[in-house]
Amino acid sequence: MLIVRAGGARLFRGLRPASAPALDFAADATGYADLRRLLARTSPPPIHLLVDVVEEDFQREAVPHVFGRARREVTTTRSARLFHGTPYVSARREGRMAEGRRDDRILFSAIVRPERIEPWLDALRGQRIVGVHSLPLASARLLPVLRVEAARVLLVTESGERGLRQTCFEDGRFSSSRLAALPPADSSERVHGILTEIDRFVHHLDRTADAGQELEIRLVADARLLTAIRKTAHPGKLVEGLVDADAVERVLARRGRGRSDALTGESGLACDRLFVRLALSAPPPDHYGPAAVLAVHRSTQVARVLWVAGVSILLVGAAWSGFSWQRSAGIVATTETLVREAHSREERYRMERPPEAEVALHDLRLAVETAQRLDANRVRALPVLQSLSEALADSPDLELDSLEWFEVSEREGWPDLADEDAPREQFRNVRLRGRVERFGGHYRAATEEVFRFVERLEALPRMSRVEVLEIPEDPGGSGYRPGRVAEFEVRMVVNAGSG
């Protein structure tokens, strides 16, 4: 972790910032070169760059509620208008407005003087930089650790040996921040300067806040500074908000399953160690890191993901190969078993097959003639039904009661057929009985309907002969007799071989 301030930078190495000595580098060519040489000699872990400078500006704006590419374009345009000439810009969404168009509330922040951090980024060139973080924004992660439940909180922390960082939060969200410089002095004068700066900022917040909102103060510092503050005359409300940074750092160390060694009493280090421990246990999001600065870390992440994916594919492939080999071995064994069983069955059939029977030639001829005769004399119903359906389609008032057919023979009459050359087996003698539906007692109309049906039958191409055997007949001769049934019977010869 590298903490960058206006006067220089402080480097913490390892996962136990309390035990690892902090290395300070001046903000000049010598400091940049010393940091570069130190990192070249060692293999440092991924580096977090924590920025705590006065040249960090914050602006809260309302932008249209859009998504995806449109949101990126809107925030980029608004950032360029608010902070011109710096690439270190961040835009964080904080919800939507309660009224009007319900636009998005966006917190824009930027390091307005890039020269504050660019020399340090140049010294870190080639290292795995995880992110460039804003200390005021990252300090919001201290609120749950301090168990602060008030709606408005002023978090006060030491910024090195000569600075005081004051950050205000409302409902857990960042509101404003101020970095004040303290003059070099002894312990009593240092305490006086801290209390004066707190009073100034609280007065400013009270003027801008809504009436009735109480402000709760949390001053996080080392034990010696807190003891000195308790000995001075100050508001009693501040006493309740004094927090020992070393005690909080030990709590975070226990949560992270690490250990906190003997703490040094050097002023300004306690809060730095606390922020380092907080960032390493739960890394804050990147705020100002350009893609070129984070390229090495992201390439390492991609390589790690590809390595894990490659190993996973290799293991899955090896497991699948073993499974396929085992399965193929099982298939081979099953195939061999089936082949042996087939050979066994074939041998058994060869041994148990009965002797071939000898059939006389006369018997074979008789069987063939019988089969041919049966095939020639079978009755085909399809041509008969097709002819009747074509005729009945135009006679909806006729209803069939019975239908029987058989081959035409000389004893049944009609030897003089239309086609004398055709084989007699293809003709069918059909007898059809039915009645006239919706009769109503009119015999004459019923008789005409039956004769129209006969005419339609005679017009069909398959029909060789049609004869009416029975027609609806009135016993009284009046032509109308209600309450009786009009029945008819027709005999016809159908050429079943012409279809």
Side-chain angles (χ1 to χ4, degrees):
M1 170 72 75
L2 184 68
I3 302 178
V4 176
R5 295 190 173 92
R10 176 169 287 168
L11 179 66
F12 290 88
R13 295 180 294 175
L15 298 179
R16 297 194 297 272
S19 60
L23 303 178
D24 292 327
F25 302 90
D28 53 23
T30 303
Y32 307 144
D34 292 342
L35 177 60
R36 188 180 296 110
R37 283 193 297 268
L38 174 65
L39 296 178
R41 292 196 307 265
T42 61
S43 298
I47 299 176
H48 295 263
L49 196 69
L50 194 61
V51 182
D52 185 21
V53 294
V54 72
E55 291 85 359
E56 187 176 9
D57 193 10
F58 304 91
Q59 299 287 338
R60 187 170 277 103
E61 295 275 332
V63 302
H65 181 64
V66 291
F67 299 93
R69 182 178 179 181
R71 172 180 290 180
R72 289 193 297 271
E73 292 178 353
V74 169
T75 55
T76 301
T77 303
R78 190 67 60 88
S79 299
R81 191 185 71 183
L82 292 174
F83 310 110
H84 180 68
T86 176
Y88 308 106
V89 181
S90 173
R92 302 177 62 198
R93 184 175 179 271
E94 295 183 331
R96 301 181 63 179
M97 305 292 290
E99 300 176 352
R101 298 186 310 176
R102 291 181 55 81
D103 292 340
D104 289 335
R105 289 193 304 267
I106 304 294
L107 175 63
F108 293 92
S109 61
I111 300 174
V112 295
R113 292 183 62 185
E115 60 270 18
R116 286 295 188 190
I117 66 171
E118 285 180 343
W120 300 109
L121 292 175
D122 185 66
L124 297 175
R125 190 184 306 275
Q127 303 295 329
R128 287 182 55 191
I129 302 178
V130 177
V132 181
H133 315 290
S134 168
L135 188 142
L137 297 178
S139 61
R141 293 171 176 255
L142 267 179
L143 299 182
V145 180
L146 301 179
R147 299 180 181 179
V148 179
E149 299 179 355
R152 294 179 68 234
V153 181
L154 176 61
L155 181 63
V156 184
T157 58
E158 292 182 280
S159 177
E161 293 79 11
R162 298 183 181 180
L164 188 70
R165 169 65 70 175
Q166 301 179 79
T167 307
C168 182
F169 298 92
E170 295 183 3
D171 297 325
R173 293 197 301 265
F174 175 87
S175 175
S176 59
S177 184
R178 182 172 184 267
L179 179 61
L182 300 176
D186 56 14
S187 177
S188 60
E189 294 182 358
R190 180 180 176 82
V191 169
H192 176 73
I194 291 175
L195 297 178
T196 301
E197 291 295 336
I198 292 177
D199 288 339
R200 289 177 182 174
F201 198 56
V202 169
H203 180 68
H204 167 73
L205 294 176
D206 289 341
R207 285 189 298 126
T208 58
D210 297 335
Q213 283 190 332
E214 244 184 90
L215 181 66
E216 188 170 321
I217 303 175
R218 288 290 187 274
L219 173 58
V220 184
D222 61 81
R224 291 192 306 174
L225 182 59
L226 297 180
T227 302
I229 292 176
R230 290 189 180 95
K231 293 179 180 179
T232 60
H234 56 277
K237 177 177 167 183
L238 182 59
V239 177
E240 302 174 359
L242 299 181
V243 180
D244 188 354
D246 296 330
V248 178
E249 198 271 334
R250 284 193 293 269
V251 172
L252 291 176
R254 287 195 297 270
R255 290 183 181 180
R257 297 182 180 180
R259 65 184 184 88
S260 184
D261 298 323
L263 302 176
T264 60
E266 185 178 352
S267 177
L269 274 177
C271 289
D272 287 351
R273 287 194 306 267
L274 179 58
F275 282 119
V276 171
R277 176 71 69 179
L278 187 65
L280 293 179
S281 60
D286 173 66
H287 297 123
Y288 302 124
V293 173
L294 308 180
V296 176
H297 175 65
R298 290 178 178 174
S299 300
T300 305
Q301 285 183 316
V302 171
R304 183 177 301 170
V305 170
L306 293 177
W307 183 85
V308 172
V311 172
S312 302
I313 293 174
L314 178 62
L315 295 177
V316 171
W320 178 256
S321 298
F323 173 75
S324 300
W325 178 83
Q326 184 178 6
R327 186 178 179 184
S328 62
I331 293 175
V332 170
T334 304
T335 304
E336 292 177 352
T337 303
L338 293 176
V339 169
R340 288 195 299 270
E341 185 177 354
H343 288 320
S344 175
R345 290 179 180 272
E346 183 179 0
E347 187 66 26
R348 189 186 312 163
Y349 172 74
R350 188 181 298 111
M351 296 175 61
E352 297 177 357
R353 185 173 60 180
E356 298 181 359
E358 296 182 359
V359 181
L361 182 60
H362 173 74
D363 296 335
L364 289 176
R365 185 183 299 110
L366 181 61
V368 171
E369 290 177 354
T370 303
Q372 291 177 349
R373 190 180 301 110
L374 291 174
D375 182 69
N377 292 327
R378 63 182 179 179
V379 177
R380 297 180 178 89
L382 182 60
V384 177
L385 297 178
Q386 287 179 342
S387 301
L388 288 177
S389 64
E390 293 176 5
L392 287 174
D394 299 326
S395 301
D397 292 337
L398 300 185
E399 184 74 16
L400 298 184
D401 292 331
S402 64
L403 175 69
E404 55 181 352
W405 67 87
F406 40 86
E407 293 183 8
V408 175
S409 62
E410 293 185 1
R411 65 179 177 83
E412 293 169 339
W414 293 357
D416 51 341
L417 297 174
D419 190 358
E420 293 295 341
D421 296 332
R424 187 172 294 274
E425 288 81 8
Q426 75 180 22
F427 293 93
R428 302 290 180 265
N429 190 351
V430 183
R431 290 189 179 184
L432 176 67
R433 292 191 61 85
R435 64 182 183 276
V436 180
E437 289 291 319
R438 295 187 293 273
F439 172 53
H442 294 280
Y443 283 93
R444 185 175 302 168
T447 302
E448 293 175 354
E449 181 65 26
V450 171
F451 278 108
R452 283 195 297 271
F453 173 65
V454 171
E455 291 176 357
R456 295 189 189 98
L457 289 175
E458 292 175 342
L460 294 175
R462 299 187 183 92
M463 205 62 59
S464 297
R465 184 74 60 84
V466 181
E467 179 182 9
V468 179
L469 301 181
E470 181 182 349
I471 61 174
E473 184 177 359
D474 181 12
S478 61
Y480 175 78
R481 194 174 183 86
R484 297 183 66 86
V485 179
E487 297 179 342
F488 66 94
E489 183 179 356
V490 177
R491 185 173 68 166
M492 52 192 174
V493 178
V494 181
N495 189 352
S498 63

